[in-house]
Amino acid sequence: MRYISTRGEAPILEFDEVLLAGLATDGGLYIPEIWPRFSADDIRAMRGLSYADLATRIMLPFLGGRIAEADFASLVHDAYAGFDHAATVPLKQLDDNLWLMELFHGPTLAFKDVALQLLGRLFDHVLTRRGERITIVGATSGDTGSAAIEACRDREAIDIFILHPHGRVSDVQRRQMTTVPSANVHNIAIEGSFDDCQDMVKAMFGDAGFRQEMRLGAVNSINWARIMAQIVYYFRAALALGAPDRPVAFAVPTGNFGNVYAGYAAHKMGLPVAQFAIGSNRNDILTRFMETGVMETRGVEPSLSPSMDIQVSSNFERLLFDACDREGAAVMQTMIEFRKTGRLTIPQGGMKVIEALFDGHRLDDAGTLAAIKGEYEANGELLDPHSVIGVASGRAKARYPATPMVAMATAHPAKFPDAVERATGIRPQLPDRLADLFNREERYDVLPNDLNGAMTHIRDRVAA
Ligand SMILES: *Cc1c(COP(=O)(O)O)cnc(C)c1O
């Protein structure tokens, strides 16, 4: 198994190299050169496997022999042992043909744990074998920082530094990061805004000397291994509902297009998928694209579903590659144009590839609150403001009434208690594993909004 860049000009890499590389050198994203395919019989033979065994079987072809099967199986089992539901990603029935797949039973209560819990272990395994170390640096406005910290804590080959804006993330979000007692976890509160934090991280990566000296790395959402890990739960849901003998549809609340692209990958691997309904909030670039065929950037406005507040969906480029007939040069051209003008159209014929499977739907904040209330009244389910956008999109856009629709629930309602309480009058409780969050000791350093100071701080900690 080899990996090529969507823009066609970067070196072709093996799995472990792609894992550590992240973005390709030509600005593109890595994808498998050839999709591994499972036949209907292969898929039938997956029925009844545990989540970890299913995950091992589905991901193994992507490794191309670069990690031994037994080692990989043990990393996978370890990654999902920390989920606090026996089914790892349980599937619930909401009504006759609508299902909810709960992806939020990991340590930080959001679906990003499904991929990041494995990613941290893969990094550690590959780096240790190479005798290398890495320093992960990232900025967070609250949500992704804790998932990255939980993924990297106690990993011997990794130091992780997460910058957050001092006093500007919620108490729950801050405590999920700062109460992790591991020696390799370093929280930095910057006296500035989220944009200041992000600019600082960008400047660190832009400083070639610092980047090499610290061996900076990222665990961002374009990393191929994150997509790979997310493919598994599409198989899991479809198997439970009759695959491969019956097609299934999916509804996915979408930001960077990583989650739903993983579903598309499952489809390319042989899973019969009838449709993807993608949901957005008021930052609806994808929905407008599905409606008009034109992708056009606008400013980002804050919403009740902050993890979907995006200006562009970085992983969309992977789908664009197929819409461009897998021509890297056409993707390069299209993306250069998009960067220049903020406007993207699909080269001739390519829109058909997308329209065949995808529909877009949007919910503004008022619609989100109404949907949370409606679902609670209809079936007693408390949904967070991201998950409910998936459910509502599945209801609104289902093309085939007899086909089961699985909506992906991406966060636990207690992660966004204010919105849930506003909509239903009920304040969702944190699950047991986090019940004592407010009694745990916090550990973080407050630093001024100064790049050199922050770089010195990181250098000193890594040396120690
Ligand atoms: C990241 C995130 C999303 C968006 O997922 P993408 O893969 O970026 O499309 C949706 N909901 C929650 C809760 C998230 O954390």
Side-chain angles (χ1 to χ4, degrees):
M1 172 62 64
R2 306 192 310 164
Y3 292 84
I4 55 172
S5 164
T6 49
R7 300 194 190 179
E9 288 179 12
I12 293 176
L13 300 182
E14 297 286 347
F15 175 77
D16 50 328
E17 298 165 331
V18 160
L19 175 74
L20 299 177
L23 201 68
T25 51
D26 58 4
L29 278 62
Y30 276 106
I31 44 166
E33 189 173 36
I34 298 165
W35 289 108
R37 293 278 302 181
F38 292 118
S39 69
D41 279 342
D42 293 336
I43 296 173
R44 269 181 218 109
M46 295 173 187
R47 288 176 179 158
L49 291 180
S50 72
Y51 189 78
D53 287 342
L54 178 68
T56 304
R57 188 165 312 176
I58 286 171
M59 289 189 275
L60 202 60
F62 289 114
L63 307 185
R66 301 290 282 205
I67 299 179
E69 179 171 352
D71 289 346
F72 184 64
S74 116
L75 293 175
V76 170
H77 278 78
D78 195 40
Y80 298 116
F83 279 56
D84 70 359
H85 194 291
T88 314
V89 290
L91 188 63
K92 268 187 183 171
Q93 189 160 12
L94 290 187
D95 67 23
D96 281 342
N97 248 340
L98 181 63
W99 303 73
L100 189 70
M101 179 155 254
E102 294 183 347
L103 304 175
F104 53 69
H105 292 278
T108 74
L109 311 184
F111 96 100
K112 291 190 175 65
D113 290 330
V114 179
L116 284 171
Q117 282 296 307
L118 181 62
L119 196 72
R121 286 163 173 86
L122 283 170
F123 264 89
D124 206 41
H125 179 84
V126 168
L127 289 166
T128 303
R129 241 182 4 180
R130 294 178 170 209
E132 293 173 12
R133 292 186 60 80
I134 199 171
T135 305
I136 302 285
V137 178
T140 188
S141 54
D143 220 31
T144 50
S146 58
I149 285 173
E150 284 293 343
C152 296
R153 65 183 292 176
D154 304 322
R155 308 268 143 243
E156 291 197 352
I158 304 175
D159 275 298
I160 179 165
F161 293 83
I162 297 293
L163 282 59
H164 71 264
H166 187 39
R168 301 197 200 183
V169 300
S170 79
D171 288 348
V172 171
Q173 287 174 330
R174 188 190 67 251
R175 283 180 162 275
Q176 278 192 298
M177 299 190 284
T178 60
T179 60
V180 175
S182 311
N184 72 330
V185 169
H186 310 273
N187 280 285
I188 303 175
I190 296 290
E191 292 174 321
S193 66
F194 170 61
D195 287 337
D196 294 331
C197 296
Q198 204 165 32
D199 288 347
M200 238 185 236
V201 170
K202 271 191 199 145
M204 289 178 200
F205 275 89
D207 181 330
F210 186 73
R211 195 175 67 213
Q212 271 176 11
E213 184 193 341
M214 295 291 105
R215 296 225 174 72
L216 289 194
V219 290
N220 48 23
S221 80
I222 52 91
N223 194 301
W224 165 256
R226 280 182 65 171
I227 304 285
M228 175 184 84
Q230 293 169 179
I231 294 170
V232 177
Y233 50 74
Y234 286 89
F235 275 89
R236 174 75 157 193
L239 278 162
L241 296 172
D245 302 303
R246 187 185 185 207
V248 177
F250 293 97
V252 189
T254 303
N256 268 324
F257 210 75
N259 193 353
V260 70
Y261 182 78
Y264 176 77
H267 173 65
K268 298 300 271 185
M269 293 167 72
L271 193 71
V273 177
Q275 177 195 7
F276 294 101
I278 54 183
S280 60
N281 60 31
R282 70 208 289 182
N283 300 295
D284 61 349
I285 180 166
L286 284 168
T287 303
R288 285 184 281 117
F289 170 71
M290 295 302 162
E291 288 166 355
T292 64
V294 180
M295 186 167 289
E296 212 162 14
T297 57
R298 288 185 190 158
V300 180
E301 291 172 32
S303 78
L304 292 175
S305 41
S307 300
M308 292 157 64
D309 289 345
I310 45 97
Q311 188 170 28
V312 294
S313 299
S314 39
N315 277 297
F316 180 79
E317 182 167 335
R318 290 187 156 114
L319 181 63
L320 179 65
F321 182 73
D322 279 7
C324 289
D325 244 350
R326 297 176 67 87
E327 290 284 346
V331 175
M332 178 74 93
Q333 188 83 46
T334 305
M335 292 310 292
I336 287 173
E337 189 70 19
F338 185 45
R339 171 129 302 194
K340 215 161 53 192
T341 63
R343 200 168 184 281
L344 177 158
T345 53
I346 304 288
Q348 70 295 65
M351 201 61 200
K352 283 203 193 76
V353 173
I354 297 173
E355 283 167 347
L357 276 175
F358 293 90
D359 294 282
H361 188 66
R362 84 172 66 67
L363 249 64
D364 61 11
D365 280 356
T368 301
L369 291 171
I372 294 175
K373 183 171 193 278
E375 293 298 332
Y376 181 65
E377 285 171 356
N379 52 48
E381 199 63 36
L382 282 180
L383 294 170
D384 98 285
H386 304 78
S387 306
V388 81
I389 289 178
V391 171
S393 304
R395 286 196 192 280
K397 296 290 160 168
R399 290 185 192 178
Y400 313 104
T403 299
M405 173 71 76
V406 180
M408 294 299 179
T410 52
H412 190 288
K415 213 161 177 180
F416 299 92
D418 296 335
V420 176
E421 187 173 18
R422 238 171 99 191
T424 63
I426 293 168
R427 194 160 182 89
Q429 294 301 303
L430 283 168
D432 287 350
R433 71 187 325 162
L434 286 173
D436 68 342
L437 186 65
F438 282 83
N439 302 325
R440 295 181 196 167
E441 192 182 334
E442 287 193 82
R443 205 168 48 89
Y444 61 100
D445 296 299
V446 181
L447 295 185
N449 183 11
D450 169 56
L451 177 64
N452 285 321
M455 283 163 61
T456 302
H457 179 90
I458 291 173
R459 203 180 269 121
D460 290 349
R461 294 296 144 111
V462 169

